[in-house]
Amino acid sequence: MNFSIITICYNSEKTIERTIQSVLAQTHSDYEYIIIDGESKDRTLEIINQYKPLFQDRLKLISESDNGIYDAMNKGIKAATGDIIGIVNSDDWLEKDALETIYDCYKNNGCCLDALYCGWISFHYLNGDIQLMKTSHKMLEELSHRYEMGGIRHPAVFVPKQIYEKYGIFDDKMKVMADTDLILRYYFAGVKFYYPEKVVSNMSDGGVSNKYLLKAYNDYRLILQKYSMNKFKFYRLLYSWRIKRIIKSLVPTKLLYVYRNFSKA
């Protein structure tokens, strides 16, 4: 069993070196690395090419225009040849034993390629605080009724290629929540979820879904429209989601950090 790791990037010269180094440092070395670049205009390509020889032909670079982040991710998935695919964004980075952790979970669960492997995230706030973000099947089960991911963060999710082939890739009509749509699609289709209960990835504050509330709201509407429900439930879910996100956007980062830690105590 081998891995494919995908990074999509555009004008990422400030952060992509850290991402690349985290892939290069993996303790499990049976992987290919695919970088999908959207024709960057800064030093991104120069940095990638500096590191390319260190991967000994395991790094594949595709630089061309795309139709957004999920179109770029889909390109990477289609180009991947590994059994299990992980996606690490160009401003995030993997723990050095991320692949080893996922591989151990894969072996401990019967070498199952009909399942998602969902690790934990260390979330790095702009003020320097770091929060451990866990997930579990209980959280997914509870929040799926509101059509939310249940604490799953896609940069810590590893998906077998055959799952993408069987149940579909990202819906690139969405702008910032196609990962939520993907996880829910797999969950409701009956795909298994396994949880290694370790941090596998680090995520930076200020990601796409944190910045664009209106785009996220429109995406959530598209997600709800995919499932049969009466109008009352549809609008109750839609507007309660929007109110929560507006409140979240107004709460200072430090207070949000304290609240999240307190609520999980």
Side-chain angles (χ1 to χ4, degrees), residues 8-230:
I8 65 165
C9 59
Y10 179 71
N11 291 345
S12 304
E13 65 179 8
K14 294 181 180 179
T15 58
I16 196 167
E17 188 166 17
R18 179 178 60 186
T19 306
I20 294 173
Q21 288 176 348
S22 78
V23 176
L24 193 60
Q26 288 303 298
T27 55
H28 182 95
S29 60
D30 193 2
Y31 67 85
E32 64 176 359
Y33 189 28
I34 301 170
I35 300 180
I36 308 295
D37 174 74
E39 295 187 330
S40 292
K41 310 302 181 187
D42 62 1
R43 293 184 57 251
T44 298
L45 291 173
E46 178 185 336
I47 293 169
I48 294 169
N49 284 319
Q50 285 175 351
Y51 278 92
K52 200 170 184 180
L54 299 179
F55 284 90
Q56 299 177 346
D57 297 325
R58 287 181 295 163
L59 193 159
K60 179 179 181 181
L61 171 63
I62 300 173
S63 183
E64 60 187 26
S65 61
D66 55 57
N67 294 316
I69 59 172
Y70 296 115
D71 177 50
M73 286 182 183
N74 287 340
K75 287 182 183 180
I77 293 167
K78 292 173 183 177
T81 62
D83 300 301
I84 296 180
I85 300 171
I87 298 176
V88 54
N89 299 324
S90 61
D91 56 350
D92 302 333
W93 64 102
L94 296 173
E95 291 291 302
K96 66 180 182 180
D97 62 347
L99 297 187
E100 186 176 348
T101 296
I102 298 301
Y103 182 64
D104 288 345
C105 187
Y106 163 79
K107 289 193 300 181
N108 292 337
N109 287 281
C111 298
C112 181
L113 289 175
D114 191 27
L116 270 62
Y117 296 88
C118 308
W120 295 345
I121 285 274
S122 284
F123 190 87
H124 296 251
Y125 289 93
L126 296 177
N127 65 1
D129 286 329
I130 301 173
Q131 182 185 3
L132 173 62
M133 292 187 168
K134 299 181 179 181
T135 189
S136 67
H137 191 73
K138 181 180 178 181
M139 292 172 65
L140 177 59
E141 192 172 33
E142 290 175 351
L143 291 179
S144 65
H145 297 295
R146 300 206 303 260
Y147 300 93
E148 299 179 27
M149 282 197 292
I152 292 175
R153 276 88 185 175
H154 197 263
V157 177
F158 287 75
V159 183
K161 186 173 177 65
Q162 70 180 41
I163 296 288
Y164 283 121
E165 293 172 342
K166 184 175 181 179
Y167 298 103
I169 52 181
F170 291 100
D171 183 347
D172 58 14
K173 295 190 296 295
M174 296 186 182
K175 303 301 181 184
V176 294
M177 288 187 66
D179 52 347
T180 299
D181 171 66
L182 187 87
I183 295 298
L184 290 172
R185 190 192 320 151
Y186 294 170
Y187 174 73
F188 289 126
V191 175
K192 300 181 184 73
F193 285 70
Y194 293 127
Y195 304 87
E197 298 187 344
K198 284 185 65 176
V199 173
V200 300
S201 188
N202 297 270
M203 187 174 180
S204 301
D205 197 6
V208 172
S209 58
N210 294 333
K211 291 180 180 178
Y212 302 116
L213 182 60
L214 180 58
K215 290 181 179 180
Y217 174 73
N218 290 333
D219 281 359
Y220 187 63
R221 177 191 290 270
L222 288 174
I223 290 171
L224 293 181
Q225 288 173 345
K226 293 185 177 187
Y227 300 94
S228 298
M229 65 184 74
N230 60 52

